[in-house]
C-alpha cells in the first residue's frame, strides 16, 4: 500500500427531513447565496424547504447553473455574491451545481482572473464557506474537494482541487431523488461506477481494504442501479445508491492506491466538442480503455472478473474479455449507449478529439502515464 494522508472534513446529514437541520450548520447572521440549476428543485419543492430552513438568514438566489457548469455563468454568480457581500454559499442540486459552487467559493476572494485557478493552476488561498443539498447522486462532489468547469469561449473543460473546497456539510436525502428522470438516474449509476473503476482497475498495491470497499460499491451499483429505474420511489434502493455515489469519490477508496483518470480526460473532450452528458462519455470510453490497456491492467482485471462478475471459468484472456463485455452490457442495460455511433458521432470526430487532448497537455495519462496521444486515438477508434 502506498503512503497516504486521508482527511475529509465534510459533515454528512443523511436521511429524510434533514434539510430542516441545515440552519444549525451555518454561522448565525450569515448572508447566504443559494445556488441551483433549472426548475427541478423548484418543482419538487426542495427549494421551498431550503428557504424555510433559512428563514432567519439573509438569503439570495442564483439559478441557471447548467450541467457541465460554465465559467461564463458562474462569473455572474461571483458578481452577485461580491455585490451583496455574501459569506456563505448553499448549493442545491447535483454535482454540476456543487462543482460550480466550489468555483464560486474560490473565485469570490480571488485576485485576478479566476479562470487562472484552472488554466494556470493559480493558488487558491481562500474560499467562501459552503454547504450542499444533494438531489442527484453521481459525482461525489458533495464530499470531496474537486470540481470540473467548462469555458465555452475556448472549448476548455478543466478540473481543479483544493482542500478549501470541501463542503462544510452536505444533506443527502434519498427521497429527493424520486422525481429524477430515468436518464439522470442511469447517468448517476454510470458516473459512480467509473469513479470507482478509475481508482480500482489499475495495478495491485496490496491494499485489501480499499479493494474490498471498491468491489462492494461496484456490486451495490450492479444490484441497485437497475432497480432504481424499475422502482423510482423505493427509498432503500435510492439510499444505497446515494451513499455509494458519495463513497465512490470521497477519497476513501483512493487512499494508498494508484489511480488512473484517463477515461475521464478523454471523456471531457467528448463533452466539450459534442455535448454528451459526462456519464455518457464515460460509458463510451471505459470499455475501450480497458481493452486497449488490458495488459497493464491484467492483474486487476482478473480480480475484477472474479470478485465483481463471478467469472472463474475459462482461461485468463477469456475472463478479461467477459469482464469488459459485462461492463459494457451493464451500461447498455441502463440505456446508456457505449459507442460513439450510439450518439451519432462518426470516426471523423476522432482527430479533433485527439487535438484537444494535445492542446490541454493530456499527453501522458493513466496510472503509468502510458496513455499518450497514439493510445488515446486507439481508444477513441475502438469506441467508435
Amino acid at each position: 500500500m502506498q503512503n497516504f494522508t486521508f482527511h475529509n472534513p465534510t459533515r454528512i446529514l443523511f436521511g429524510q427531513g434533514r434539510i430542516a437541520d441545515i440552519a444549525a450548520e451555518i454561522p448565525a447572521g450569515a448572508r447566504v447565496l443559494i445556488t441551483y440549476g433549472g426548475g427541478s428543485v423548484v418543482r419538487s419543492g426542495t427549494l421551498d424547504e431550503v428557504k424555510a430552513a433559512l428563514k432567519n438568514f439573509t438569503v439570495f438566489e442564483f439559478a441557471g447553473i447548467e450541467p457541465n457548469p460554465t465559467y461564463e455563468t458562474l462569473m455572474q454568480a461571483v458578481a452577485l455574491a461580491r455585490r451583496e457581500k455574501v459569506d456563505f454559499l448553499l448549493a442545491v442540486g447535483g454535482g454540476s451545481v456543487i462543482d460550480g459552487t466550489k468555483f464560486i467559493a474560490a473565485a469570490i476572494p480571488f485576485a485576478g482572473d479566476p479562470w487562472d485557478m484552472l488554466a494556470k493552476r493559480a493558488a487558491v488561498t481562500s474560499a467562501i464557506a459552503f454547504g450542499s443539498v444533494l438531489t442527484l447522486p453521481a459525482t461525489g462532489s458533495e464530499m470531496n474537494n474537486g470540481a470540473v468547469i467548462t469555458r465555452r469561449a475556448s472549448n476548455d473543460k478543466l478540473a481543479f482541487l483544493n482542500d478549501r473546497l470541501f463542503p462544510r456539510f452536505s444533506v443527502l436525502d434519498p427521497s429527493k431523488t424520486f422525481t429524477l428522470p430515468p436518464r439522470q438516474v442511469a447517468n448517476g449509476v454510470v458516473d459512480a461506477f467509473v469513479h470507482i473503476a478509475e481508482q480500482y482497475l489499475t495495478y495491485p498495491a496490496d491494499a485489501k481494504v480499499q479493494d474490498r470497499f471498491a468491489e462492494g460499491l461496484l456490486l451495490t451499483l450492479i444490484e441497485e442501479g437497475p432497480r432504481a429505474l424499475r422502482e423510482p420511489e423505493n427509498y432503500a434502493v435510492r439510499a444505497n445508491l446515494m451513499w455509494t455515489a458519495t463513497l465512490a469519490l470521497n477519497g476513501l477508496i483512493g487512499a494508498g492506491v494508484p489511480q488512473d483518470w484517463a477515461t475521464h480526460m478523454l471523456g471531457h473532450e467528448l463533452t466539450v466538442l459534442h455535448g454528451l452528458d459526462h456519464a455518457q462519455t464515460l460509458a463510451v470510453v471505459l470499455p475501450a480503455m480497458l481493452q486497449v490497456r488490458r495488459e497493464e491492467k491484467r492483474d486487476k482485471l482478473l480480480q475484477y472478473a472474479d470478485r465483481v462478475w463471478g467469472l472463474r471459468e475459462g482461461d485468463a484472456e477469456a475472463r478479461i474479455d467477459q469482464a469488459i463485455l459485462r461492463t459494457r452490457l451493464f451500461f447498455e442495460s441502463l440505456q446508456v449507449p457505449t459507442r460513439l455511433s450510439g450518439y451519432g458521432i462518426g470516426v471523423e470526430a476522432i482527430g479533433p478529439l485527439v487535438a484537444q487532448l494535445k492542446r490541454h497537455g493530456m499527453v501522458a495519462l493513466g496510472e503509468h502515464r502510458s496513455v499518450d496521444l497514439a493510445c488515446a486515438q486507439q481508444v477513441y477508434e475502438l469506441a467508435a
Side-chain angles (χ1 to χ4, degrees):
M1 195 185 306
Q2 300 172 351
N3 290 359
F4 67 88
T5 299
F6 177 72
H7 173 69
N8 193 311
T10 302
R11 182 176 170 89
I12 297 295
L13 284 62
F14 192 99
Q16 286 186 285
R18 299 307 305 276
I19 288 175
D21 299 332
I22 63 177
E25 306 293 330
I26 300 173
R31 297 170 65 83
V32 181
L33 175 62
I34 302 172
T35 58
Y36 55 99
S40 61
V41 297
V42 177
R43 292 191 300 271
S44 67
T46 301
L47 183 62
D48 285 340
E49 278 188 60
V50 169
K51 290 162 73 172
L54 299 179
K55 63 181 184 295
N56 294 324
F57 294 87
T58 301
V59 173
F60 306 90
E61 296 179 36
F62 183 85
I65 297 178
E66 56 273 90
N68 303 299
T70 65
Y71 169 83
E72 290 84 352
T73 296
L74 299 174
M75 286 304 294
Q76 297 175 40
V78 171
L80 170 62
R82 288 172 172 171
R83 185 170 64 248
E84 300 295 347
K85 296 180 171 52
V86 165
D87 51 17
F88 198 93
L89 305 173
L90 183 63
V92 182
S96 291
V97 173
I98 302 172
D99 275 17
T101 302
K102 290 176 180 178
F103 176 84
I104 296 165
I108 291 169
F110 189 82
D113 182 357
W115 185 248
D116 288 348
M117 296 184 297
L118 291 91
K120 298 181 180 178
R121 305 297 183 201
V124 177
T125 58
S126 63
I128 300 298
F130 70 99
S132 81
V133 175
L134 181 67
T135 61
L136 172 57
T139 69
S141 191
E142 66 277 3
M143 200 179 179
N144 67 40
N145 64 342
V148 181
I149 308 299
T150 298
R151 189 165 190 170
R152 282 195 303 258
S154 54
N155 275 344
D156 293 318
K157 183 174 181 178
L158 302 176
F160 74 128
L161 298 164
N162 190 276
D163 280 350
R164 293 173 177 82
L165 299 180
F166 282 102
R168 292 282 185 90
F169 66 88
S170 288
V171 174
L172 276 61
D173 180 345
S175 68
K176 297 302 173 190
T177 73
F178 289 172
T179 59
L180 288 172
R183 172 171 161 175
Q184 290 187 336
V185 175
N187 278 351
V189 174
V190 172
D191 200 358
F193 195 102
V194 181
H195 285 161
I196 299 162
E198 296 273 41
Q199 300 164 88
Y200 170 69
L201 284 173
T202 55
Y203 58 85
D206 200 23
K208 295 179 180 178
V209 173
Q210 294 90 322
D211 278 1
R212 293 293 190 186
F213 272 147
E215 289 153 4
L217 295 174
L218 291 171
L219 287 166
T220 302
L221 291 172
I222 292 166
E223 181 178 329
E224 301 287 53
R227 287 189 68 194
L229 295 175
R230 294 194 306 267
E231 307 167 30
E233 295 192 11
N234 186 322
Y235 180 87
V237 169
R238 293 304 177 97
N240 279 302
L241 277 186
M242 184 169 257
W243 191 224
T244 298
T246 299
L247 291 171
L249 200 58
N250 73 345
L252 185 63
I253 66 169
V257 300
Q259 299 186 26
D260 186 344
W261 301 109
T263 291
H264 272 69
M265 298 305 102
L266 270 65
H268 286 173
E269 306 303 356
L270 279 166
T271 295
V272 167
L273 293 186
H274 297 280
L276 270 64
D277 296 346
H278 175 59
Q280 293 173 337
T281 74
L282 302 180
V284 165
V285 174
L286 181 67
M289 182 73 71
L290 296 179
Q291 188 65 253
V292 169
R293 299 172 61 206
R294 60 188 289 150
E295 283 307 311
E296 65 184 276
K297 294 179 177 290
R298 179 184 178 85
D299 290 341
K300 289 305 283 288
L301 278 169
L302 287 170
Q303 181 177 315
Y304 171 65
D306 177 6
R307 296 185 184 177
V308 175
W309 294 111
L311 298 167
R312 302 179 184 97
E313 303 296 329
D315 64 27
E317 297 307 318
R319 296 198 304 276
I320 291 173
D321 285 340
Q322 280 298 306
I324 296 171
L325 178 60
R326 294 282 186 94
T327 305
R328 183 185 298 279
L329 292 176
F330 175 62
F331 296 160
E332 295 276 357
S333 76
L334 301 170
Q335 306 304 310
V336 184
T338 59
R339 296 195 182 276
L340 292 173
S341 59
Y343 302 94
I345 300 171
V347 294
E348 69 280 357
I350 293 173
L353 289 167
V354 175
Q356 279 278 99
L357 289 170
K358 182 178 181 180
R359 185 168 73 86
H360 290 140
M362 302 296 174
V363 297
L365 302 173
E367 62 270 30
H368 295 296
R369 300 292 179 260
S370 60
V371 182
D372 57 14
L373 294 178
C375 180
Q377 177 157 339
Q378 190 178 357
V379 171
Y380 283 134
E381 288 172 351
L382 191 59

